[in-house]
Structure formats: C-alpha cells, structure tokens
Amino acid sequence: MTQQMDPNQQAQARARVEAMRRQFEQKRAISESLSRITHKVGVYSGKGGVGKTTVAVNLAATLANDGAKVGVLDVDIDCPNVIRAMKVAEAPLVGEDRKMIPPERFGVKVMSMGFFQQDEEEAIIWRGPMIHNAINQLLQSTEWGDLDYLLIDLPPGTSDAPLTVMQALDMDGFVVVTTPQELAKIDAIRSVNMIKKLHIEVLGVVENFSGDIFGYGAGEELAEHLEIPFLGRIEMRAAYRDTSRPAVLNDNEVLGEYRGIAEGVTSGLS
C-alpha cells in the first residue's frame, strides 16, 4: 500500500515545488533581460582591495574605446564603487515596461546597487537572503539593449553573494584579479577553484599593483600552477591619481596594458 504523507510533509512538499517554480521563473526573467548581450564576463577576486573594480572599469573603457558596445554591472553589494569610479552623475531611467535603463559614461552603460543607496557612506548590512533577492531583482529589472560585452564586478570572496551571481547568470568566463603579495595569491587560487567547481571558464589572471613596492610574479606563478592563461600585469603608475575618468583614457601606457588584457579576454571567449 502507498503510504500517505501527513499534513506537515504535504506542506513541505508544496513549499519545495513552489520554491523550484520561483527559481525557474527568476532564471527565465534574467535570461530574457540579458538575451541581447553577446558575452558576460565576471571580474572577480578572492579578497577585497586588489583593484577589482579598477580593472573592471578600465577594461570596459578599453573595449568601448576600441569600438565595442559595453556595459558594467556592479553587484558588489557591500561596497558598490563603480558609480564613483566611472563618475556617473545621473540615475537610471525607467522605461514603459518598468525596466531600468542604465546611464552611460565614457561609452559604457553602468548599473550598480549604489544607485539605490540614499547615502554613499552608509553601510549596507544585509544577510544572505536579502543579498540574494537584491541581486536577482537587479538582474531582472535592467534593460541593457544590445551589448558585445557585459563586465560584472563581483563581490570578493567565495561565499553567498558571488555564488548567487555565478548561479543566476550563464557566465561566459571570469577574469581573476590578484596582486603580487603572497596572501592575495592564495586567495586568488581559492577563487579560481570556486569558479572551476561551478564549471565556468577562467579566461585568465591579471596581476595588479605590480612594481618595485609590491613586486612582480604572483600572477604568472598562479597561472602556471593552475594551468590557466596569464593575461598581463598592471603597473602602479601616477596616472591613477587622476580619478576624473578611467586611467586608460588619460595614459597611453595604461591603455597599452589593458589592450593586452582585452586581447587575451576576447581570444579566450572566441
């Protein structure tokens, strides 16, 4: 005889089915919102402070400067800095379909959680479910239009926030950012291993803050150790003191470094 489920088991089963239905609807809505984007590339690091946002905005500005249609999505919930890095002054517009239209700066469309902060200096203190819901809402509610590349500035670490993005988006690959210091290198290895566990392509590693102060070589060592491409190193330069716009638009040496990285990214995607 078939054993009947008690009322509690029936309620739990219904709740599981409903959760699966909501998850499917979310994935479908996100897929529709991003359907006109050719490549979705995450810029990611195992720890904060390695210059992940700087790499994301300069890589985006380089691609746009060379003729591509580019957007940057800032889903670093705790510290959304892309708006300030790109010097975006206007908020997103809302279209007739109630979707947000990102503002554009330096030829790059920008969307960020920072648009929804009343005070830039306030701390965003959210638990996992709130972060999950906010990221999904942002992904579903943005109208990007036609893009060649969407660069996604992820939260650092290997916990709930970056995992939510990786699972919600069908990513084409990741650029991992490290610095020459030993601790940054081991954290970058952890982040690469997380990406590989989710079966997503690692396009390569960028070494930031290279130079006489912090040294050289961690990025190349990491790439060789994990058998992934080394995309290039970015030197510490005085050009970064001018924060009025991305450094690639002010300095040809910086632009040359990022063009090399962009070539490695586009080659990996093709």
Side-chain angles (χ1 to χ4, degrees):
M1 293 180 61
T2 303
Q3 187 176 2
Q4 292 288 332
M5 289 191 295
D6 64 39
N8 285 338
Q9 290 176 317
Q10 291 177 348
Q12 290 171 0
R14 284 195 296 270
R16 284 195 294 270
V17 171
E18 179 61 22
M20 291 172 64
R21 186 191 67 79
R22 285 197 304 269
Q23 188 177 34
F24 173 78
E25 290 296 329
Q26 281 184 341
K27 287 279 285 185
R28 185 177 62 82
I30 291 169
S31 179
E32 288 178 358
S33 290
L34 305 178
S35 62
R36 293 160 63 188
I37 299 170
T38 305
H39 298 296
K40 298 179 286 293
V41 177
V43 181
Y44 181 45
S45 64
K47 65 181 288 135
V50 298
K52 173 176 52 64
T53 297
T54 300
V55 171
V57 300
N58 278 282
L59 182 56
T62 299
L63 291 165
N65 188 63
D66 290 342
K69 297 177 182 177
V70 186
V72 172
L73 173 62
D74 180 4
V75 287
D76 190 339
I77 302 295
D78 297 331
C79 299
N81 292 323
V82 166
I83 294 174
R84 177 172 282 269
M86 291 290 287
K87 295 297 183 284
V88 179
E90 64 272 25
L93 299 175
V94 179
E96 293 181 0
D97 57 359
R98 307 302 299 167
K99 286 199 171 186
M100 295 179 291
I101 302 170
E104 188 170 317
R105 183 76 163 143
F106 309 118
V108 178
K109 294 182 179 180
V110 178
M111 180 56 72
S112 170
M113 290 300 299
F115 285 124
F116 310 104
Q117 285 181 286
Q118 291 184 342
D119 180 0
E120 184 187 41
E121 297 180 0
E122 72 175 307
I124 300 176
I125 306 172
W126 286 355
R127 293 191 181 275
M130 293 179 67
I131 293 173
H132 176 87
N133 290 335
I135 291 173
N136 276 289
Q137 191 65 34
L138 190 64
L139 293 172
Q140 292 175 52
S141 303
T142 304
E143 177 54 64
W144 291 101
D146 295 317
L147 292 181
D148 298 309
Y149 303 97
L150 178 64
L151 299 182
I152 299 132
D153 183 14
L154 276 87
T158 57
S159 57
D160 192 60
L163 181 61
T164 295
V165 179
M166 292 180 192
Q167 291 180 330
L169 287 168
D170 292 324
M171 307 287 286
D172 296 297
F174 278 88
V175 174
V176 174
V177 182
T178 188
T179 60
Q181 297 101 318
E182 182 182 8
L183 295 182
K185 175 183 168 184
I186 188 63
D187 285 338
I189 290 172
R190 291 170 179 146
S191 62
V192 170
N193 286 332
M194 177 178 177
I195 296 166
K196 287 184 172 182
K197 282 184 178 180
L198 295 170
H199 306 291
I200 307 173
E201 184 77 15
V202 181
L203 298 171
V205 177
V206 171
E207 181 181 294
N208 196 23
F209 298 141
S210 298
D212 292 337
I213 295 175
F214 296 123
Y216 300 91
E220 289 167 295
E221 291 169 7
L222 187 157
E224 183 178 354
H225 173 62
L226 296 177
E227 298 181 337
I228 56 177
F230 177 63
L231 298 174
R233 66 168 55 94
I234 301 165
E235 301 270 349
M236 294 184 69
R237 300 182 189 277
Y240 290 100
R241 295 177 186 170
D242 181 356
T243 60
S244 62
R245 57 183 187 163
V248 294
L249 303 179
N250 293 329
D251 187 282
N252 285 332
E253 289 183 311
V254 177
L255 179 60
E257 290 173 341
Y258 274 95
R259 276 195 169 135
I261 293 167
E263 288 172 7
V265 169
T266 54
S267 175
L269 290 169
S270 62

